[in-house]
């Protein structure tokens, strides 16, 4: 991952120096280089050590829980990981994500306020540690839904030894909390936008202390990076504040769990062992395409089925089996964060003769990002797909179908929209999805579906059966374009 993300990180660094700290996407290229953004923040320390990257495809039984809309009148995309054995931590993330999504949908999508222009909710995840008996995940929320909008992050920890979910503050020993807080205060005092009396008040009340100190990450050299969201400890206009305590400073204050988390960050012991009952990950399907597709869409009726937001386990594997039964080809617009989790499924898509396209790293509205951020979203994802399949995609589908001249200029990938919208993300009903596709699809149409939903996958056999009987052939988007 490290080499692949170098270029976009440099691009992002350039972009951040021109934009505000809370601009959308400033965390979206969060990778090994995410601390580069800290240097551009007004309240932050410039001397941070990189956060280590984790390869999620090595986590046994990992599932990514995604819930996205594909409608720009109600744009949201959320994701968090479900790791076997860490159910208590998954439950904490699920609760936070679902609460935020419900609030957003009630206000922006169902509030009867007409257009949700300018509103967007995006929650993306990143693994901090997945090694030995320690799991750490950081969820980053971009929320443009009105009051309190902005970028926030929270870290979640799981202690496999004690089989317990731990919050960020739990990495610090109870007896050392005062010394730890004093060190943070000393680093924050004197920075622009910090009011020392307000800071003391925030740190002394348990509720506000826990809310402010909900994002702590160990750096690769064992230091502790504490990020305070915008408005948590200073005036909102100053953005967020980052304090990094060195390994030497922070180590004496860590709890027993904190020390293990630090150790597994600095020198990961290898695979994650949380003591989950051994549920083997199902193998990816092994269908292989029988050579190039020679369907001539000038002579026969063609349809391009497209599946966005995956890959997802086990839905994508099931879908590949259905498609193989009808020798149907399709196009998968994958998100980079899901490709990173399931590269085997992306490889299986490619081997079976399907086309793999790019759907951004974590599903933001690209028209709200800077050109460098758009380039980063797409190039990181292209790199992940290429690592899985050996092939570089040539197509991208903009999340929410949101694309403009600036987005197009930021990439060499060709945008693909759709002719038939099943709204399958909204109607989780296989029969309804099948009916919609069968009723609406005409020759040479591109059909939008999502393989993260079991209901959408379950609709596919009926679609293939009925439309094959009506003489349709199922081809990839590039094949359709090339033969028309
Ligand atoms: Zn999507």
């Amino acid at each position: 991952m490290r080499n692949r993300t170098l270029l976009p990180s440099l691009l992002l660094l350039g972009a951040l120096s021109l934009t505000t700290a809370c601009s959308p996407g400033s965390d979206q290229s969060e990778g090994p280089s995410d601390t580069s953004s800290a240097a551009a923040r007004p309240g932050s320390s410039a001397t941070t050590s990189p956060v280590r990257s984790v390869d999620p495809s090595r986590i046994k039984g990992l599932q990514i829980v995604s819930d996205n809309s594909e409608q720009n009148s109600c744009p949201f995309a959320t994701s968090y990981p479900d790791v076997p054995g860490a159910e208590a931590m998954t439950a904490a993330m699920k609760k936070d994500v679902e609460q935020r999504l419900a609030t957003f949908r009630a206000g922006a999508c169902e509030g009867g306020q007409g257009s949700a222009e300018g509103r967007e909710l995006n929650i993306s995840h990143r693994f901090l540690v997945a090694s030995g008996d320690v799991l750490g995940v950081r969820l980053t929320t971009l929320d443009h839904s009105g009051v309190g909008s902005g970028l926030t992050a929270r870290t979640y920890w799981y202690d496999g030894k004690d089989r317990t979910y731990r919050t960020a503050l739990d990495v610090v020993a109870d007896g050392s909390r005062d010394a730890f807080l004093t060190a943070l205060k000393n680093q924050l005092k004197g920075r622009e936008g910090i009011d020392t009396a307000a800071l003391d008040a925030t740190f002394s009340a348990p509720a506000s202390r826990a809310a402010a100190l909900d994002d702590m990450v160990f750096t690769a050299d064992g230091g502790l990076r504490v990020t305070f969201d915008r408005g948590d400890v200073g005036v909102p206009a100053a953005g967020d504040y980052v304090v990094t305590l060195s390994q030497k400073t922070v180590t004496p204050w860590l709890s027993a769990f904190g020390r293990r988390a630090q150790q597994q960050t600095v020198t990961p012991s290898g695979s994650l062992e949380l003591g989950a009952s051994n549920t083997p990950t199902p193998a990816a399907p092994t269908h292989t395409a029988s050579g190039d597709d020679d369907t001539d869409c000038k002579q026969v009726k063609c349809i391009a089925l497209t599946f966005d937001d995956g890959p997802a386990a086990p839905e994508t594997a099931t879908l590949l089996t259905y498609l193989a039964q009808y020798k149907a080809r399709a196009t998968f617009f994958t998100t980079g964060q899901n490709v990173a989790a399931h590269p085997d499924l992306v490889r299986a898509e490619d081997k079976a003769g399907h086309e793999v396209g790019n759907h951004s790293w974590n599903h933001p509205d690209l028209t709200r990002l800077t050109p460098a951020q758009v380039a980063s979203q797409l190039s990181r994802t292209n790199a992940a797909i290429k690592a899985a399949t050996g092939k570089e995609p040539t197509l991208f589908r903009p999340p929410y179908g949101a694309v403009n001249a600036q987005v197009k200029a930021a990439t060499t990938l060709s945008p693909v929209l759709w002719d038939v919208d099943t709204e399958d993300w909204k109607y989780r009903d296989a029969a309804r999805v099948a009916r919609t596709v069968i009723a609406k699809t005409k020759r040479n149409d591109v059909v939008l579906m999502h393989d993260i939903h079991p209901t959408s996958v379950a609709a596919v056999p009926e679609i293939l059966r009925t439309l094959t009987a009506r003489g349709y052939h199922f081809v990839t988007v590039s094949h359709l374009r090339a033969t028309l």
Side-chain angles (χ1 to χ4, degrees):
M1 288 293 280
R2 215 164 289 177
N3 291 335
R4 291 207 303 275
T5 55
L6 183 60
L7 181 62
S9 320
L10 292 171
L11 290 170
L12 184 78
L13 183 60
L16 277 169
S17 63
L18 302 169
T19 57
T20 64
C22 285
S23 62
S26 66
D27 203 61
Q28 283 159 1
S29 79
E30 194 184 55
S33 60
D34 65 330
T35 48
S36 63
S37 60
R41 289 174 180 142
S44 68
S45 153
T47 53
T48 51
S49 157
V51 173
R52 207 177 278 288
S53 65
V54 172
D55 178 359
S57 72
R58 297 181 56 187
I59 303 172
K60 286 187 212 114
L62 168 67
Q63 291 188 299
I64 306 296
V65 184
S66 310
D67 192 358
N68 304 345
S69 82
E70 205 71 76
Q71 202 167 61
N72 60 11
S73 63
C74 172
F76 64 83
T78 65
S79 78
Y80 63 91
D82 181 348
V83 177
E87 283 75 16
M89 180 177 126
T90 306
M93 291 189 287
K94 178 176 158 68
K95 183 164 166 260
D96 286 352
V97 169
E98 288 183 351
Q99 266 177 4
R100 286 172 190 243
L101 182 56
T103 306
F104 176 81
R105 292 187 78 158
C109 309
E110 288 143 24
Q113 298 166 33
S115 163
E117 194 177 344
R119 292 160 184 249
E120 180 182 6
L121 177 71
N122 185 287
I123 303 180
S124 60
H125 67 273
R126 168 171 202 264
F127 288 95
L128 303 169
V129 188
S131 171
D133 54 19
V134 178
L135 178 65
V137 171
R138 185 171 195 243
L139 295 189
T140 302
T141 302
L142 167 74
D143 186 346
H144 284 301
S145 59
V147 183
S149 291
L151 195 63
T152 59
R154 182 175 290 182
T155 46
Y156 300 79
W157 295 92
Y158 191 76
D159 179 347
K161 181 161 175 267
D162 290 349
R163 301 197 157 225
T164 307
Y165 160 59
R166 307 237 181 243
T167 64
L169 252 184
D170 289 338
V171 306
V172 177
D174 287 347
S176 302
R177 186 170 293 166
D178 288 346
F180 173 71
L181 294 176
T182 302
L184 292 178
K185 275 187 230 168
N186 288 339
Q187 291 236 11
L188 287 167
K189 273 179 197 165
R191 290 203 201 167
E192 198 184 326
I194 292 285
D195 174 336
T196 310
L199 186 61
D200 283 340
T202 300
F203 278 7
S204 54
S208 57
R209 181 170 62 218
L213 292 158
D214 65 353
D215 182 15
M216 300 191 202
V217 173
F218 287 101
T219 56
D221 63 3
L224 189 68
R225 192 188 77 183
V226 183
T227 306
F228 300 96
D229 296 330
R230 170 189 165 94
D232 270 357
V233 292
V235 296
D240 55 6
Y241 291 82
V242 178
V243 172
T244 303
L245 300 175
S246 71
Q247 188 265 352
K248 201 170 149 219
T249 304
V250 80
T251 301
W253 297 332
L254 296 177
S255 63
F257 171 71
R259 288 193 190 210
R260 280 188 284 121
Q262 180 194 46
Q263 172 128 35
Q264 292 293 354
T265 306
V266 177
T267 48
S269 67
S271 61
L272 179 68
E273 299 297 342
L274 297 182
S277 56
N278 234 341
T279 40
T281 312
T286 54
H287 311 291
T288 47
S290 49
D292 288 342
D293 188 0
D294 57 6
T295 309
D296 183 353
C297 298
K298 284 198 181 70
Q299 304 297 324
V300 299
K301 296 193 289 183
C302 288
I303 291 176
L305 296 180
T306 65
F307 296 93
D308 289 12
D309 297 1
E315 288 80 9
T316 304
T318 307
L319 173 58
L320 285 171
T321 302
Y322 293 153
L323 292 168
Q325 283 163 1
Y326 285 83
K327 294 193 170 24
R329 304 208 194 206
T331 304
F332 291 87
F333 288 102
T334 57
T335 60
Q337 62 183 1
N338 284 353
V339 175
H342 302 297
D344 53 333
L345 290 173
V346 181
R347 201 156 30 244
E349 291 168 355
D350 175 66
K351 281 212 158 62
H354 305 297
E355 180 164 18
V356 181
N358 186 324
H359 196 40
S360 80
W361 185 265
N362 62 350
H363 214 278
D365 178 342
L366 298 176
T367 64
R368 302 176 65 105
L369 304 187
T370 65
Q373 288 167 337
V374 173
S376 168
Q377 281 281 334
L378 296 175
S379 61
R380 277 186 85 193
T381 304
N382 255 30
I385 294 168
K386 192 177 179 190
T389 65
K391 294 176 192 164
E392 188 110 20
T394 58
L395 304 178
F396 83 106
R397 171 162 284 153
Y400 315 110
V403 66
N404 60 17
Q406 182 174 282
V407 170
K408 287 181 191 166
T411 180
T412 56
L413 298 172
S414 174
V416 178
L417 298 178
W418 55 83
D419 303 299
V420 176
D421 185 357
T422 58
E423 295 189 292
D424 60 332
W425 58 272
K426 201 192 294 179
Y427 304 110
R428 308 289 175 86
D429 177 341
R432 179 179 178 139
V433 171
R435 266 201 317 275
T436 303
V437 175
I438 291 163
K440 285 190 176 177
T441 308
K442 303 183 305 298
R443 185 171 182 175
N444 298 335
D445 274 354
V446 175
V447 179
L448 171 64
M449 299 175 75
H450 296 83
D451 57 329
I452 56 172
H453 304 306
T455 42
S456 303
V457 171
V460 168
E462 176 64 18
I463 292 168
L464 295 175
R465 190 182 312 124
T466 306
L467 294 180
T468 298
R470 293 184 188 172
Y472 285 99
H473 295 253
F474 299 92
V475 299
T476 66
V477 169
S478 285
H479 187 85
L480 183 66
R481 286 182 167 187
T483 63
L484 284 182

